[in-house]
Amino acid sequence: DAGITQSPRHKVTETGTPVTLRCHQTENHRYMYWYRQDPGHGLRLIHYSYGVKDTDKGEVSDGYSVSRSKTEDFLLTLESATSSQTSVYFCAISESWRERNQPQHFGDGTRLSIL
Amino acid sequence: ELKVEQNPLFLSMQEGKNYTIYCNYSTTSDRLYWYRQDPGKSLESLFVLLSNGAVKQEGRLMASLDTKARLSTLHITAAVHDLSATYFCAVDMSYGGATNKLIFGTGTLLAVQP
């Protein structure tokens, strides 16, 4: 299994509070991704990173920010959580451009509930 | 805008039967992936399809890609209960690029009944 650790695994919080989810990898992969999974939508890309301090938006980036200060860590922040952000969040990693034909590998997910 | 449609969304089948899941996508892409997800679990990579006419097989599952028709299929042969899961196709929206940004289908929930 790819060395990906997401924390926390479960979190319940209140509307309006800030929330940070962490993804940590031990594979030294260049690319990291944050997705959210909701019934009827499959997985949707929130943000991704193609290197330290290099990030870009995905399909559903509004209300989310990310940071990557080290190769191994990719943080997802909800500045002011809303109930619509209740979801399961997955982190994924993939290798360099030369290995771009390999699949993304996913973490175990974080179940976030915003009341 | 790239859209990915899977059908059926739900499939109940008997053990020993064959069936096919379809994945249609709306714009040109050169990479398509199939994943499996068990309830409450992560996604597991099944197949990577990189070119027109590509066919990959693993056990009772076979995936194919027709880039001209923008269609991929996941064929299940002689289904067994252990294949019960949700199956996702995902299409790389960065055609010719390096970032591997994926658009996922909504998934097909497969339930294999004894």
Side-chain angles (χ1 to χ4, degrees):
Chain A
D1 289 346
I4 308 169
T5 304
Q6 290 186 232
S7 59
R9 294 293 317 280
H10 302 272
K11 186 172 182 66
V12 180
T13 190
E14 293 184 347
T15 300
T17 60
V19 177
T20 295
L21 307 183
R22 181 185 184 228
C23 178
H24 178 79
Q25 59 141 332
T26 58
E27 304 296 321
N28 200 35
H29 283 2
R30 179 179 176 186
Y31 297 98
M32 299 185 76
Y33 310 82
W34 277 108
Y35 293 88
R36 60 179 288 174
Q37 183 175 27
D38 304 289
H41 289 279
L43 278 79
R44 292 179 291 175
L45 180 66
I46 305 171
H47 282 281
Y48 68 99
S49 170
Y50 47 97
V52 173
K53 292 187 167 53
D54 292 323
T55 64
D56 203 352
K57 296 178 179 180
E59 293 176 84
V60 289
S61 58
D62 288 348
Y64 302 95
S65 62
V66 290
S67 65
R68 191 167 178 202
S69 58
K70 297 184 290 185
T71 299
E72 58 266 36
D73 288 326
F74 192 31
L75 304 181
L76 177 70
T77 297
L78 292 65
E79 301 289 349
S80 178
T82 67
S83 59
S84 65
Q85 294 176 310
T86 292
S87 187
V88 179
Y89 291 85
F90 284 98
C91 173
I93 64 174
S94 64
E95 296 187 64
S96 67
W97 183 85
R98 288 201 180 100
E99 311 297 333
R100 70 196 188 281
N101 295 330
Q102 297 300 312
Q104 292 181 14
H105 298 284
F106 285 80
D108 290 333
T110 294
R111 186 171 296 275
L112 177 62
S113 297
I114 300 164
L115 307 177
Chain B
E1 179 187 345
L2 177 60
K3 293 187 178 179
V4 180
E5 292 184 352
Q6 274 183 249
N7 66 84
L9 298 183
F10 177 70
L11 178 56
S12 178
M13 54 190 301
Q14 288 184 314
E15 283 191 328
K17 299 293 187 182
N18 304 333
Y19 210 84
T20 300
I21 298 171
Y22 297 87
C23 175
N24 292 274
Y25 55 99
S26 59
T27 61
T28 303
S29 176
D30 57 357
R31 279 168 278 175
L32 189 140
Y33 306 82
W34 283 97
Y35 287 88
R36 168 183 171 144
Q37 185 181 36
D38 293 307
K41 302 294 186 182
S42 183
L43 280 78
E44 173 192 355
S45 175
L46 294 174
F47 300 109
V48 179
L49 302 170
L50 301 174
S51 61
N52 189 41
V55 177
K56 296 277 186 75
Q57 183 163 4
E58 181 73 33
R60 301 174 188 275
L61 300 177
M62 183 174 69
S64 65
L65 178 62
D66 181 343
T67 57
K68 293 179 182 177
R70 298 175 184 164
L71 170 69
S72 180
T73 61
L74 181 66
H75 187 72
I76 303 150
T77 302
V80 294
H81 181 70
D82 285 352
L83 290 179
S84 297
T86 299
Y87 293 85
F88 292 96
C89 65
V91 179
D92 192 329
M93 62 185 295
S94 54
Y95 178 66
T99 56
N100 199 208
K101 292 169 61 175
L102 301 183
I103 301 293
F104 278 78
T106 51
T108 296
L109 176 58
L110 173 65
V112 181
Q113 313 294 339

